[in-house]
Amino acid sequence: QRALHAIRKCRTKALGGHLDWCMNCKKLHLQFNSCRNRHCPTCQGHKQHQWVAARTQELLPVPYFHVVFTLPDHLNSVAIPYPKVLYKILFDSAWETLSAFGNNPKHLGAKLGMIAVLHTWGQNLQLHPHLHCIVPGGGVCEAGFWKKGTAKDDFLFSVEAMSDKFRGRFVSKLRKALPQLPQSLYDKLFKKEWVVYAKTPFGKPEHVIEYLGRYTHKIAISNHRILSIDKEKKKLTFSLKDYRKGGQKTTLTLSTKEFIRRFQLHILPKGFTRIRHYGFLSSSWKKEKLPLLQLQLRDKNLAYIITFATQEKSLHRCCPSCKKETLITLFTFDSRGPPKDYKKIIKDKLEYKH
């Protein structure tokens, strides 16, 4: 309820606002405050830019893989009453699966790294929990040196073997965490094949950056996908891709009540972290040792890409008219709106600035 109320009030008079003035084009801009909720479609841009800039500094000149761990739909009935438990098990099982193969000398014999992002939705907004993971193509051996993956497949390890390992780890943890679940559920889980999907490696480091920007702070549905809202009939139409038909674009019309029901399925528990870092990309490891890895594998082209990417400016504090980062805030106001004598206040402040 807190999240939905915050999104409803976002950038409206209810949250108050501020009056900005551009020092370049001399225009005034009345802007209402954002709700800053992480599930809001309009409040992720600035945070996304900051996060991607930080991750860009950690890039290595090695292949990066995109791996997806998906849960069967039989677990949707568990995800609704126990989201925090189920999603934590999903994160833990995915990392334990990868690290088990990485630590094995037959496969790699090195410490892996992983960035995992939780998505809980499909294109039609139904519940579809899965992890998008970025995994560098190699690991760090005990001596602290980089060890390149030698597999000839599209990924470091066999995805079929990983699928079985992932299912075993997940079910084992689920039994311990929620012993009240019926045996019939586990029978269904073992009858169905679990899928770990691995895409071919990213071609260049800049492709990794592009991927991070698109997926990390994505929410269930963005504003541009909502095509129409019929207030009289209480209907809403949005666009989607039908992957059963090869990604064909189509539309779906729902009642407003059903749309909100589906949207709220993807509001995560308070304090739950949906982006996590593991292995040599974890916060405790990378502060001291990751820069040494970058020196070992230094690449002039990568250094240029990192410098260029981090120099890109965000749209925060940029003027909507001239697109320059020259906005200053003259005054703020609450839900009652700006003061009646705001023109005089503006004039006085501008004279003071000059």
Side-chain angles (χ1 to χ4, degrees), residues 8-20 29-36 42-43 316-317 320 331-338:
R8 179 172 62 87
K9 295 176 182 178
C10 184
R11 302 196 184 187
T12 66
K13 184 181 176 181
L15 293 181
H18 49 279
L19 194 68
D20 295 335
H29 300 282
L30 179 67
Q31 304 196 52
F32 293 114
N33 293 332
S34 302
C35 67
R36 298 184 182 181
T42 56
C43 287
H316 189 58
R317 306 303 302 164
F331 66 84
T332 60
F333 54 88
D334 57 20
S335 58
R336 292 175 295 180

Side-chain angles (χ1 to χ4, degrees), residues 170-199:
F170 187 94
V171 171
S172 175
K173 290 178 178 295
L174 188 63
R175 284 185 188 274
K176 292 178 182 178
L178 299 172
Q180 68 271 30
L181 296 180
Q183 180 60 37
S184 57
L185 173 64
Y186 296 107
D187 294 338
K188 292 177 182 177
L189 294 179
F190 278 106
K191 283 181 181 178
K192 190 165 186 176
E193 289 187 6
W194 289 40
V195 178
V196 175
Y197 176 68
K199 291 185 178 180

Side-chain angles (χ1 to χ4, degrees), residues 272-326:
F272 188 85
T273 306
R274 63 181 294 264
I275 305 175
R276 304 190 183 192
H277 303 72
Y278 296 89
F280 66 79
L281 292 177
S282 63
S283 57
S284 59
W285 203 96
K286 65 189 177 187
K287 284 183 180 179
E288 296 180 2
K289 299 179 182 178
L290 191 62
L292 298 176
L293 265 185
Q294 290 175 323
L295 285 175
Q296 287 180 31
L297 304 167
R298 57 187 168 189
D299 184 324
K300 292 182 180 179
N301 292 328
L302 179 62
Y304 170 77
I305 291 167
I306 289 175
T307 303
F308 177 77
T310 51
Q311 284 176 347
E312 286 189 358
K313 292 182 179 180
S314 73
L315 296 178
H316 189 58
R317 306 303 302 164
C318 279
C319 174
S321 300
C322 65
K323 308 299 181 185
K324 292 188 177 180
E325 199 172 338
T326 51

